[in-house]
Amino acid sequence: MKHLLTFFAVLSAMTGHAQQVETIEFGLPIHSMRIYDDTVFAATNQGMAYYSLKDKDGVHPYTDVCVVVYDFVKNGSRLLEAGSAGQCYYQHPQQPSRVYKSQPIGSGVMGYTFSKSADFGRCWWTTGYEQELLGRPSMAFNPMNTDEVLLYGLNEYVDCICPFLLRSADGLETFADVDFQMGEDRLMTFLQLVFSPDDDGVLMAATTKGLARSNDHGLTWKYLTGTTTLPGYVSIGEQYFVGVCFDDMRPNLIYALEMAPRNSVMSFTPYYIYRSVDGGSSWQVVGSVNMPDSSGPTTGMRGFQCYQGKLVWWADCRLFVISEPQLLIPITNTPTAMPAPSADVEQPQMVYDLLGRSHKNGRIRVEKGSKYIAK
């Protein structure tokens, strides 16, 4: 297990403030990541490992058993671990003894089973949804109503983009299919749903076609992004967002992570970090992170969340932490179209991404203490 911790400075042209962005190298592929009591726990190919957000003293093994762990939940010193790639655990954030489990039916039968436990896995029961799920579910819990839960995912057994959305208002005793309506006809998939921490029934969704907001528990949705143009690119149309989260210390702030398109000369996949200060009505790009190409399989950037005011997510073997995202200065208030860089065009000498790494084909230049879009 590698114990490598690197720091990069993000310079603010307006305030001169430099904050440290951490990249923590776990050295092994991360299959799942959760945060408990200021500590990040990760399931890896050699068991469980952890990193303290408070002490920052490196990555340590949490268990002595060197086996592949695909998913897990934790309650005190107790762990529930998944030893197969198809099995997933979910935990109620306000009631940690309430856990849920999904896994493929198997034996050539299509669908997933879904069960629940009120005593952290000692006893399992079927949920109020009597049918099999036709795709691996994700869950969204309402912090203002402990009994409201949404299940969402994609039907994996049909030749179409067919997302599903289920709602329970009684702690998964019963379910109802949500016949949700999107504001525009886009063939999208829900990648992350999150409830507002202080406005009951309000949801944000990261989708493959933009960010969307619902004010009625997921019944109707309005796209908030999806047709803007990002710095350094010709108009890209609908945008692919992999994550969205409310700031748990400042509920008026919302963050989102977009996987942006790439051009033919890039050796990385660019990701943009967005921030909204008005409940999602308007958005500003406040940072970029470039994910280098990999010769092997990659997870992409996943697990985007806000914990104690910090932005945390992971990709492949690395954990990323931005300690003070509320202080990031917008790259541009109104993104405008600019030609994509080409190989025969002279590039700026000093080009950096959010982590301070120089890139020949990047778009954000730092020169003489100022930060601006490279032309």
Side-chain angles (χ1 to χ4, degrees):
M1 198 75 66
K2 292 186 179 180
H3 295 193
L4 177 64
L5 173 63
T6 55
F7 292 95
F8 301 89
V10 179
L11 299 179
S12 163
M14 294 180 63
T15 65
H17 173 80
Q19 64 169 296
Q20 291 182 324
V21 179
E22 304 167 42
T23 303
I24 299 92
E25 177 66 63
F26 274 68
L28 293 167
I30 299 172
H31 300 294
S32 180
M33 180 196 79
R34 303 181 193 275
I35 305 175
Y36 296 94
D37 299 325
D38 296 320
T39 301
V40 176
F41 294 85
T44 77
N45 283 347
Q46 293 184 10
M48 297 289 299
Y50 72 92
Y51 171 78
S52 172
L53 294 171
K54 181 179 180 180
D55 299 331
K56 302 181 181 180
D57 58 352
V59 177
H60 303 279
Y62 183 71
T63 57
D64 296 330
V65 181
C66 293
V67 296
V68 180
V69 178
Y70 290 98
D71 199 9
F72 70 98
V73 286
K74 186 175 181 291
N75 188 12
S77 60
R78 292 190 61 205
L79 276 176
L80 290 179
E81 300 170 277
S84 64
Q87 183 175 317
C88 292
Y89 285 111
Y90 318 86
Q91 186 174 35
H92 199 291
Q94 283 82 39
Q95 300 174 347
S97 292
R98 289 172 57 180
V99 293
Y100 310 89
K101 177 174 63 176
S102 69
Q103 58 188 13
I105 296 175
S107 303
V109 180
M110 295 185 299
Y112 289 76
T113 62
F114 193 71
S115 52
K116 62 180 180 180
S117 173
D119 55 9
F120 199 71
R122 290 185 173 89
C123 298
W124 291 96
W125 306 86
T126 58
T127 62
Y129 194 69
E130 301 299 333
Q131 309 173 48
E132 69 277 0
L133 293 169
L134 295 178
R136 179 177 297 175
S138 296
M139 299 185 72
F141 298 90
N142 186 349
M144 303 191 71
N145 181 353
T146 57
D147 286 330
E148 182 175 11
V149 184
L150 292 180
L151 265 69
Y152 59 96
L154 185 68
N155 189 331
E156 300 174 6
Y157 304 102
V158 293
D159 188 19
C160 69
I161 299 176
C162 297
F164 63 83
L165 182 62
L166 305 172
R167 178 176 181 264
S168 175
D170 53 14
L172 280 75
E173 292 295 329
T174 59
F175 274 100
D177 289 289
V178 179
D179 185 19
F180 63 92
Q181 302 295 320
M182 305 300 294
E184 300 174 35
D185 187 16
R186 303 180 188 177
L187 294 177
M188 66 86 203
T189 300
F190 290 120
L191 294 185
Q192 188 173 12
L193 297 184
V194 289
F195 278 93
S196 168
D198 66 348
D199 197 349
D200 192 24
V202 172
L203 284 149
M204 291 293 303
T207 84
T208 54
K209 297 296 183 178
L211 291 174
R213 175 187 170 107
S214 172
N215 295 327
D216 53 11
H217 302 266
L219 183 60
T220 59
W221 295 86
K222 177 183 179 182
Y223 282 105
L224 304 174
T225 62
T227 57
T228 60
T229 303
L230 296 179
Y233 294 97
V234 180
S235 179
I236 63 171
E238 296 165 346
Q239 298 166 249
Y240 193 106
F241 281 88
V242 300
V244 63
C245 62
F246 286 86
D247 191 313
D248 59 346
M249 304 293 288
R250 307 165 186 83
N252 61 305
L253 299 182
I254 311 175
Y255 301 96
L257 183 64
E258 182 214 12
M259 184 174 70
R262 52 189 289 169
N263 59 43
S264 59
V265 299
M266 286 181 174
S267 60
F268 56 86
T269 299
Y271 286 78
Y272 281 90
I273 298 172
Y274 285 71
R275 184 180 63 210
S276 174
V277 298
D278 56 10
S281 296
S282 62
W283 295 84
Q284 295 173 316
V285 179
V286 295
S288 67
V289 182
N290 293 333
M291 186 170 177
D293 289 345
S294 173
S295 57
T298 178
T299 62
M301 294 191 175
R302 302 177 59 187
F304 191 69
Q305 60 187 284
C306 190
Y307 178 82
Q308 297 294 307
K310 302 178 178 65
L311 283 182
V312 183
W313 72 97
W314 58 275
D316 297 335
C317 300
R318 296 178 179 87
L319 169 71
F320 299 94
V321 181
I322 300 179
S323 295
E324 298 176 296
Q326 72 279 2
L327 298 181
L328 293 174
I329 301 301
I331 295 175
T332 176
N333 289 329
T334 305
T336 55
M338 298 188 337
S342 60
D344 56 354
V345 176
E346 182 179 359
Q347 301 297 320
Q349 294 182 348
M350 298 292 288
V351 182
Y352 296 92
D353 65 12
L354 181 62
L355 300 183
R357 299 172 298 193
S358 61
H359 289 282
K360 178 180 179 181
N361 298 306
R363 295 169 304 286
I364 304 169
R365 186 165 69 183
V366 179
E367 182 176 283
K368 297 181 180 179
S370 298
K371 174 178 173 182
Y372 55 95
I373 303 301
K375 297 182 178 179

